[in-house]
Amino acid sequence: MKKRSAFLIVLFIVALAVSVLGLSSCFVLGDDGPRIEVIKQGVVYKYSMNESYYASYIKDNVEADIVIPSEIDGLPVTEIQSDLFRNCIKIKSVQIPSSIKTMGENVFANCYHLKTVTFAQDINLTAIPYGTFYNCG
């Protein structure tokens, strides 16, 4: 009985801390704030606490020709995470905007049908990471 009471007290304290600290706003944002996740062309972009978005992962319905947006909801898209398109045989072309500052490793690895990746002329990307185009079309 004491263990159950202690558990309920801890659970109450955690719930109270979450509501007081405003952590719940990280999960539910309305019209007055950025969306946590945005899906465009089958690519999932997630909101980052540094007031930008990053390309996180792909859905099954990813399109063949991807245009990564330079911004979402007025905030820049600044990062492409590692393995974003890895093993995705559907994509044929990708356009990367100048807002992208970093790319993870193996972004296009094993994309057999990928023919074209176009980087914006004024992109500020300083390096193409290891394995980015490994085993591509």
Side-chain angles (χ1 to χ4, degrees), residues 76-90:
V77 176
T78 59
E79 180 182 351
I80 299 173
Q81 287 201 320
S82 295
D83 304 310
L84 177 64
F85 295 108
R86 185 179 194 153
N87 300 322
C88 182
I89 59 173
K90 293 180 181 181

Side-chain angles (χ1 to χ4, degrees), residues 61-101:
N61 61 342
V62 68
E63 295 183 15
D65 300 304
I66 303 293
V67 177
I68 295 176
S70 60
E71 63 178 42
I72 297 172
D73 296 338
L75 298 173
V77 176
T78 59
E79 180 182 351
I80 299 173
Q81 287 201 320
S82 295
D83 304 310
L84 177 64
F85 295 108
R86 185 179 194 153
N87 300 322
C88 182
I89 59 173
K90 293 180 181 181
I91 63 169
K92 295 180 182 175
S93 71
V94 178
Q95 293 181 27
I96 300 176
S98 61
S99 62
I100 297 297
K101 306 295 181 222

Side-chain angles (χ1 to χ4, degrees), residues 96-132:
I96 300 176
S98 61
S99 62
I100 297 297
K101 306 295 181 222
T102 59
M103 282 177 59
E105 295 181 347
N106 304 309
V107 172
F108 301 109
N110 299 320
C111 293
Y112 304 116
H113 299 290
L114 181 65
K115 300 294 180 207
T116 308
V117 175
T118 305
F119 292 90
Q121 282 186 324
D122 57 344
I123 197 164
N124 210 9
L125 193 62
T126 57
I128 303 293
Y130 176 80
T132 298

